[in-house]
Amino acid sequence: QVQLVESGGGLVQAGGSLRLSCAASGRTVSPYDMGWFRQAPGKKRDFLAYISWSGGNIYYADSVKGRFTISRDNAKNTVYLQMNSLKPEDTAVYYCAAVRGGGLYYSSSTYDYWGQGTLVTVSS
């Protein structure tokens, strides 16, 4: 069992930056592939970014490519999402998720463990 806790959300002006963290406990996160998703009010949960257990494979949704960067520090059991050039449409609850290999990295149903989410609000 892996417990995930996101942090780093908050209120930021358009054009600003935030770095989200996803800290894992219970088990080491190193064998797990990790993803970041977000869900705006009234909308479905959308894929943002994926990083494999080794960090060797990284994928992004087109909507955040070039603005967001996913990374991980297995020694600290933490995954990060650096978000730059934020836009009001980035406002959502952001979730990290973990899966022990396999599946479609962009599908929320692939992931076995989820954090509780952290709210990001971008003002115009």
Side-chain angles (χ1 to χ4, degrees):
Q1 189 82 0
V2 175
Q3 290 82 41
L4 304 173
V5 178
E6 301 94 338
S7 62
L11 175 63
V12 64
Q13 287 189 331
S17 298
L18 284 174
R19 188 176 81 155
L20 304 184
S21 298
C22 172
S25 62
R27 287 187 179 179
T28 176
V29 74
S30 55
Y32 292 84
D33 300 332
M34 302 294 295
W36 283 96
F37 291 75
R38 69 185 178 192
Q39 188 167 18
K43 295 190 176 182
K44 65 178 180 67
R45 193 168 294 189
D46 289 331
F47 166 76
L48 297 175
Y50 161 92
I51 186 167
S52 61
W53 67 271
S54 66
N57 292 304
I58 291 176
Y59 305 109
Y60 296 99
D62 288 343
S63 59
V64 304
K65 199 174 294 182
R67 298 191 299 126
F68 291 10
T69 302
I70 190 171
S71 62
R72 66 190 298 160
D73 185 338
N74 287 340
K76 295 184 178 180
N77 247 12
T78 302
V79 179
Y80 304 98
L81 186 68
Q82 177 67 42
M83 307 187 296
N84 299 328
S85 302
L86 284 163
K87 306 173 183 179
E89 52 264 44
D90 293 319
T91 295
V93 178
Y94 285 67
Y95 299 90
C96 67
V99 61
R100 187 115 183 220
L104 300 172
Y105 64 86
Y106 51 83
S107 174
S108 60
S109 62
T110 291
Y111 295 82
D112 298 316
Y113 303 102
W114 291 85
Q116 84 291 346
T118 186
L119 177 63
V120 172
T121 303
V122 184
S123 63
S124 57

